[in-house]
Amino acid sequence: MLFSSDSQKMVKGCLNQEPWAQQKLYDLFAPKMMAVCFRYAKDRDEAADFLQEGFIKIFQSIHKYEFQGSLEGWIRRIIVNTSIDLIRKRKASQLEMPMNTEIADTMIDEDKIDTFEVEYLLRVIQSLPTGYRVVFNLYAIEGYSHAEIGEQLGITESTSRSQYTRAKALLKKRIHEDSVEFKSYQNAI
């Protein structure tokens, strides 16, 4: 991939620990990476922590970037891995959650999920228990396989599959409950 001379100059400036280059890199990628962090975090403060730690690692590892492939993709991978590492350190005991049988029985039409606004879906995803949220994001959004997720989180592949299935069921249940509540509100007006 060819990089503009400005991009090369920015990365080389980061290699030399030049503050202007670090600020430019941060300003360029922080908004997108905050959105990534927000998907893994339980709230905005935790997402900001993930972002800060991720950029520290980016600046410490910039010498490993070889100007091949997407700089944004390289940064995104560090941000995702940092988020997972911090979650693992903070909440290792929450990665395995007991199955609530009533969740598995709740179903709504998956096509209806697409009609909800992104912000709403983000809030619903953030409300998931940590283990569910992490596995859901890694599998459904980042595209990791269950084997890769298991390896990265230190859980079995079947646990990853189970967490993903439970996350989807809980998302469906919460979306269904919210839509019923909204319809009741509309009917009352």
Side-chain angles (χ1 to χ4, degrees):
M1 175 178 196
L2 295 175
F3 293 94
S4 70
S5 61
D6 285 344
S7 295
Q8 288 181 351
K9 190 176 180 182
M10 178 183 61
V11 172
K12 288 178 181 178
C14 289
L15 283 167
N16 295 326
Q17 298 179 351
E18 295 178 25
W20 70 266
Q22 292 173 330
Q23 187 66 50
K24 187 172 180 179
L25 183 86
Y26 181 85
D27 291 345
L28 187 61
F29 292 106
K32 286 182 183 178
M33 295 306 119
M34 182 62 167
V36 171
C37 293
F38 208 49
R39 287 198 325 261
Y40 289 91
K42 66 178 186 274
D43 57 33
R44 186 165 294 284
D45 290 338
E46 189 173 57
D49 288 346
F50 293 172
L51 184 71
Q52 179 179 352
E53 291 297 320
F55 269 95
I56 289 169
K57 287 184 181 181
I58 289 163
F59 293 132
Q60 291 172 341
S61 307
I62 196 77
H63 65 279
K64 294 178 183 177
Y65 182 67
E66 299 175 348
F67 294 95
Q68 296 178 4
S70 162
L71 177 60
E72 182 177 337
W74 183 81
I75 288 172
R76 179 188 191 94
R77 190 154 198 87
I78 291 174
I79 293 291
V80 168
N81 289 337
T82 300
S83 298
I84 292 167
D85 289 345
L86 291 172
I87 288 169
R88 191 181 312 131
K89 287 177 185 174
R90 293 178 184 178
K91 310 225 188 262
S93 64
Q94 292 183 5
L95 285 176
E96 302 236 4
M97 300 286 297
M99 176 64 168
N100 181 343
T101 54
E102 71 184 53
I103 294 172
D105 296 333
T106 306
M107 294 291 157
I108 70 169
D109 183 0
E110 289 189 35
D111 292 334
K112 291 181 182 176
I113 292 174
D114 293 335
T115 64
F116 289 97
E117 293 182 25
V118 172
E119 289 179 17
Y120 168 76
L121 286 176
L122 183 57
R123 279 196 316 272
V124 174
I125 291 169
Q126 284 179 308
S127 74
L128 291 172
T130 302
Y132 293 3
R133 183 176 64 245
V134 171
V135 171
F136 180 84
N137 279 305
L138 288 172
Y139 185 79
I141 298 172
E142 301 296 338
Y144 285 74
S145 70
H146 288 295
E148 291 169 322
I149 294 168
E151 185 178 317
Q152 192 159 20
L153 298 179
I155 59 177
T156 65
E157 185 176 341
S158 63
T159 299
S160 175
R161 288 182 193 284
S162 174
Q163 294 285 316
Y164 178 69
T165 300
R166 293 171 184 176
K168 281 191 346 182
L170 189 53
L171 284 172
K172 289 177 184 179
K173 178 179 187 252
R174 289 183 179 168
I175 290 169
H176 177 72
E177 288 170 352
D178 288 349
S179 68
V180 168
E181 188 175 310
F182 181 71
K183 286 177 187 174
S184 296
Y185 172 75
Q186 281 184 321
N187 291 337
I189 295 179

